[in-house]
Amino acid sequence: EENLPVVTFGNLMTEGTALSRRGQHDKALGCFNEALKLRAGDKHCLITRSKCFLKLGDTENSLKDAEASLQIDKTFPEGLYQKAETLYSMGDFEFALVFYHRGRRLRPDIHKFQLGINKAEEAIINCLGNPSAVKLENTEELCFVSRQAELRRRKDNQQQQNKPTKEQKRMKKQSPKTEQQLLGELYADKAYLEKLLKDEDLMQSSTRQGIKVMDLVLDGISYLNHRRDFWQQQKPMYARVYERELLRQGRRQDKKQKSSDIGRSIAKDVEDIELCLARGSAEESCRKAERMLRKIQGWTEEEVPNKNELIGNLYSSIGNAHLAMGQMEAALQSHKMDLDFARKNALTDAASRALDNIGHVHARMGRFQQAISAWEEKIPLAQSSLEKAWLFHEIGRCYLELDKAEIAQDYGQKSLQSADEEGDVEWQLHATVLVAQAQVKLKDYHSAIMNFERALEKAKLVPSEAAQNGIIA
C-alpha cells in the first residue's frame, strides 16, 4: 500500500486536461469530478469541467459550472469567457455578447473577448438581419410582418407535409418541462395536437374545403414551436429562475407581491442597460440608467432591500457609458459618486469596483499618478491573487510611463509573484515582460534578456503568436 501513487488535486487536473486534449471528454470529466471532491469550489477546476461539459454538448451543466466559478470570484475572466461561450453555444447570442463585453472591460488585454464580441454580433445580425437594411412604412409594417410570417408558415407546412415523421422526431427531442415553462397555458394545446397526430384515420381525412387534417394539425404545432423558440431566444430558461422565484414569493402576501413586481422591473431594466452598452448604444444605456436611478431613489428600502447597492451599480453603469462615449470627465464624476456612495454605506465590493474604474479613466486620460493613487488604495480590497496580479501590473505600467523604472520593476515582480500563486500563465507572461522592460530602462540588459526569454517561453504556452513576435522584436 505504501508503494501506491498518491492521488492529489494537481495530478487529477493534469490527467483530466490531458484526456480532454485527446478528445476523451467522458474520462476527463471523471478526473475533474474527483478533483473537486478534494478541493471543492476550485474555480479553475470548475472552468475546465465546464469546457468538458460543453464539448460533450451538455450546455446546462457547462453553464452551471461557469456561473459557480463567478460566484466565487466575480472578476474571474475565464469564468466570464466560459459563460459567454456556453451562452453562445446555446444560441443566446445577446446574453453572450453582454459577458464578452464584461470580460473585455475587465481584461482588455485578452484578445479572445474581442473575438467573442465580433462573432456574437455577427450571429445576431445573421439571426435578426441588419436593421439598416429593413425599411418599413408606418401604415403597412404590420402587414409586412404578417406576410413574412405567412410565408414562413407556408414553407414550414410544405416541409412538414413532405416529411411529417421528421417533425414528430424533432418535437420528441424537446424537454416537456422546458416547453411547458416556455409555452405556459399553450402547452396543453400543443400536447393535444401531438396526441391527434397518433390518430392515423383522422390524419388522412379532410375538411369540407378539401384541406387535410394533418396539414392543419402540423400548422398549429409549427406555430407553437415558433412561439416557443421565440421566447427561448427572448428570455432563455436560465434567466427566468430569478423572476420565477420572485413570482412564487409574491403570491404568498400582497406586500411581497409588490416587492416581486419591483424586483422583476429592476431585473429587466438592469438587463436592458447592459444590453444597450454591449450593443454599442452607450448614449441609450446612459439615458436608461439615469432614468432608473431617479426611479429607485423614489422607492423605500422596504420595497427594494438592496437599494443602496443598486444605486451604486447604476452610477457605475453611467460612468461606463460616458467612458464608451469618450466623455472622460463625466465618467470620472459618476465613478466618484459610486465611490462616495459605497463608502457611506460600507459597501466594500462597490468601493473596490469604483476605485478600479477611477484608475482606468485616469490612465486613459494620461493622468498616471492619479491612476496609481486609485489603484494603490484598491490593493487591500483585492480578493484574489489573480486580481492582485493585474492590479500590480497596471500600477507598474503607470510607473513605467512616468519613467520610474525601479518602482515599475518592483510592481512587476509583485505581479509575477501573485500570478505564480494563482498559476495563471497569461499574467506570468505580462508581469515578466513588464519586469524586462523596466530593466531595459535601468540599463540592466543582461537581466532584461533573461526575462524576455522567460516571457517567450510563457508566450509559447498561452499560446500567442503576437506576443512571441513582440518579445522577439
Side-chain angles (χ1 to χ4, degrees):
E1 290 181 359
E2 291 179 357
N3 294 328
L4 290 174
V6 178
V7 179
T8 65
F9 176 81
N11 290 342
L12 289 167
M13 284 291 291
T14 302
E15 185 180 355
T17 303
L19 288 168
S20 186
R21 284 174 181 168
R22 292 198 294 267
Q24 298 175 336
H25 304 298
D26 285 320
K27 292 182 179 179
L29 197 60
C31 291
F32 298 138
N33 290 338
E34 292 301 317
L36 284 169
K37 289 179 183 177
L38 295 177
R39 194 182 294 179
D42 183 89
K43 61 185 181 183
H44 295 289
C45 188
L46 284 168
I47 286 303
T48 50
R49 190 172 71 170
S50 176
K51 292 176 182 177
C52 204
F53 276 129
L54 193 57
K55 291 285 186 182
L56 292 168
D58 188 351
T59 53
E60 185 177 351
N61 279 317
S62 177
L63 187 63
K64 284 180 181 177
D65 277 354
E67 289 179 332
S69 73
L70 291 172
Q71 287 177 358
I72 297 164
D73 181 3
K74 293 178 182 178
T75 64
F76 186 35
E78 286 302 316
L80 289 169
Y81 182 75
Q82 184 59 21
K83 183 170 181 177
E85 286 285 280
T86 305
L87 290 171
Y88 182 88
S89 298
M90 296 169 77
D92 297 329
F93 304 124
E94 287 194 338
F95 287 102
L97 185 61
V98 169
F99 286 95
Y100 284 130
H101 271 286
R102 284 186 188 176
R104 190 183 68 170
R105 285 201 299 270
L106 179 65
R107 291 284 300 276
D109 56 292
I110 300 180
H111 187 55
K112 62 186 178 183
F113 282 119
Q114 183 59 55
L115 295 177
I117 290 169
N118 295 342
K119 73 178 182 181
E121 288 178 346
E122 184 179 352
I124 292 168
I125 291 172
N126 288 339
C127 287
L128 305 180
N130 191 336
S132 62
V134 180
K135 295 181 180 179
L136 301 178
E137 296 294 331
N138 290 337
T139 57
E140 297 182 358
E141 59 181 0
L142 292 178
C143 297
F144 174 83
V145 174
S146 299
R147 285 197 297 273
Q148 299 307 306
E150 181 62 28
L151 288 171
R152 283 199 303 271
R153 281 199 292 271
R154 286 180 183 176
K155 184 178 178 182
D156 289 336
N157 290 344
Q158 187 175 359
Q159 291 175 347
Q160 290 159 354
Q161 185 175 354
N162 295 334
K163 300 178 182 179
T165 55
K166 285 192 175 182
E167 174 64 23
Q168 293 172 39
K169 288 179 181 178
R170 190 177 75 83
M171 289 187 295
K172 288 179 182 177
K173 292 179 182 178
Q174 301 295 333
S175 165
K177 183 178 179 182
T178 301
E179 281 199 329
Q180 189 170 10
Q181 291 171 327
L182 288 166
L183 290 174
E185 294 178 358
L186 293 176
Y187 177 74
D189 297 330
K190 187 169 186 289
Y192 175 73
L193 291 174
E194 289 175 343
K195 186 178 179 182
L196 288 181
L197 280 176
K198 298 177 182 179
D199 190 335
E200 295 181 4
D201 294 334
L202 178 62
M203 291 302 100
Q204 296 304 317
S205 62
S206 301
T207 65
R208 292 178 182 178
Q209 290 78 22
I211 303 172
K212 278 191 174 182
V213 174
M214 175 181 280
D215 293 341
L216 292 172
V217 172
L218 290 175
D219 185 35
I221 292 174
S222 176
Y223 167 76
L224 292 171
N225 282 341
H226 280 301
R227 187 180 179 89
R228 175 202 63 205
D229 294 341
F230 171 78
W231 283 114
Q232 175 67 34
Q233 178 65 24
Q234 289 294 104
K235 182 70 71 175
M237 292 311 301
Y238 73 87
R240 296 166 176 251
V241 176
Y242 178 63
E243 294 182 11
R244 286 202 304 272
E245 181 60 28
L246 283 177
L247 184 60
R248 280 195 292 267
Q249 292 175 359
R251 286 171 181 163
R252 295 171 189 168
Q253 296 177 11
D254 292 339
K255 190 176 180 180
K256 289 186 178 180
Q257 178 65 49
K258 185 178 180 181
S259 177
S260 298
D261 291 341
I262 293 173
R264 284 195 300 276
S265 173
I266 289 171
K268 183 181 182 302
D269 288 344
V270 169
E271 200 172 84
D272 287 344
I273 290 165
E274 291 190 348
L275 278 173
C276 285
L277 191 59
R279 290 170 179 160
S281 305
E283 190 174 347
E284 185 180 356
S285 175
C286 188
R287 281 200 307 269
K288 288 186 175 184
E290 288 172 343
R291 192 185 309 126
M292 185 180 176
L293 179 61
R294 289 192 295 270
K295 189 193 300 183
I296 286 179
Q297 286 172 335
W299 285 332
T300 65
E301 290 187 9
E302 188 175 345
E303 291 172 317
V304 186
N306 58 338
K307 178 180 175 179
N308 293 334
E309 187 178 346
L310 278 168
I311 290 174
N313 283 335
L314 288 169
Y315 278 127
S316 180
S317 296
I318 293 167
N320 289 333
H322 281 303
L323 184 63
M325 291 187 284
Q327 299 169 357
M328 300 300 179
E329 290 295 345
L332 192 60
Q333 184 63 30
S334 294
H335 290 311
K336 284 181 177 178
M337 292 287 287
D338 181 20
L339 181 60
D340 290 341
F341 205 81
R343 285 171 172 167
K344 287 177 184 177
N345 295 280
L347 300 171
T348 306
D349 289 344
S352 179
R353 174 192 64 214
L355 288 166
D356 182 23
N357 288 326
I358 289 169
H360 278 299
V361 176
H362 279 308
R364 284 274 296 273
M365 297 172 75
R367 301 173 181 172
F368 299 113
Q369 190 58 57
Q370 289 95 321
I372 289 169
S373 298
W375 280 330
E376 285 184 338
E377 189 177 348
K378 175 184 164 67
I379 291 172
L381 305 178
Q383 296 180 352
S384 67
S385 296
L386 185 61
E387 190 176 1
K388 288 179 181 177
W390 65 257
L391 189 55
F392 289 144
H393 177 272
E394 295 302 299
I395 295 171
R397 280 267 158 229
C398 286
Y399 275 119
L400 201 62
E401 292 288 341
L402 294 170
D403 287 327
K404 297 181 179 180
E406 192 170 348
I407 304 175
Q409 180 182 226
D410 291 340
Y411 270 103
Q413 288 168 343
K414 287 180 181 179
S415 176
L416 181 58
Q417 183 180 350
S418 297
D420 287 340
E421 290 174 7
E422 194 70 25
D424 190 291
V425 179
E426 279 195 56
W427 279 107
Q428 290 171 352
L429 165 63
H430 297 315
T432 306
V433 169
L434 173 60
V435 170
Q437 289 174 328
Q439 288 169 340
V440 169
K441 286 201 171 188
L442 292 168
K443 298 183 179 181
D444 185 0
Y445 300 120
H446 179 71
S447 299
I449 289 171
M450 289 177 62
N451 276 309
F452 276 128
E453 287 175 346
R454 291 191 188 103
L456 185 59
E457 294 304 314
K458 300 290 183 186
K460 290 176 183 177
L461 292 174
V462 171
S464 171
E465 188 176 343
Q468 291 177 51
N469 292 336
I471 291 166
I472 291 168

